[in-house]
Amino acid sequence: MRITPATADQILQAIQHTRANTTIVNVWATWCQPCVEEFPDIMKVYEKYKGQGVRVVFISADFENPPHDAEAFLKKQGVDFVTFLKSGKDMAFINTLDPNWSGALPATWIYNAQGQKQHFWEGKVSLEQFEKTVRETLGKRDS
């Protein structure tokens, strides 16, 4: 696992060019208690559905230098894939990623196989809601 600094434009490009059937994008931070609480649920959904083409893109909103806290947290959670570290000015990042996003954390988006946003939440989401939404998005992939 490694953390790669990235702008919102770079992250949106990564989402658009994925071969996933469903992509969960989650912006979190180690200092955000609701983020820390919901993180294991996102990993559970990922582990359960990755065989069906679900991908997770984690974006840490922790401070850029140094990202040690974020790296330690990701390792403890069992993340073994590339994740991103928010880079650039906060408002530019927020407005580019999604103009409807207030900047509150955690923030989660679900994208379909074509890279189109299907769902968006600000704040902590339950395991049941994540799983229900991922199943719905996977079910729409052939439409």
Side-chain angles (χ1 to χ4, degrees), residues 29-49:
T30 56
W31 46 261
C32 165
Q33 190 60 37
C35 301
V36 171
E37 291 171 1
E38 85 170 357
F39 204 100
D41 290 341
I42 297 171
M43 288 300 292
K44 285 176 188 168
V45 171
Y46 167 69
E47 290 296 331
K48 185 171 183 177
Y49 293 96

Side-chain angles (χ1 to χ4, degrees), residues 2 4 6 20 38-39 45 54 57 65 70 74 78-79 82 84-85 95 97 103 107 112 125 134 136 140:
R2 72 175 194 271
T4 303
E38 85 170 357
F39 204 100
V45 171
V54 171
V57 174
N65 293 314
L74 290 166
V79 175
V82 174
F84 296 104
L85 179 67
N95 291 331
L97 202 56
N112 66 13
V125 177
V134 165
E136 288 171 359
K140 293 178 188 174

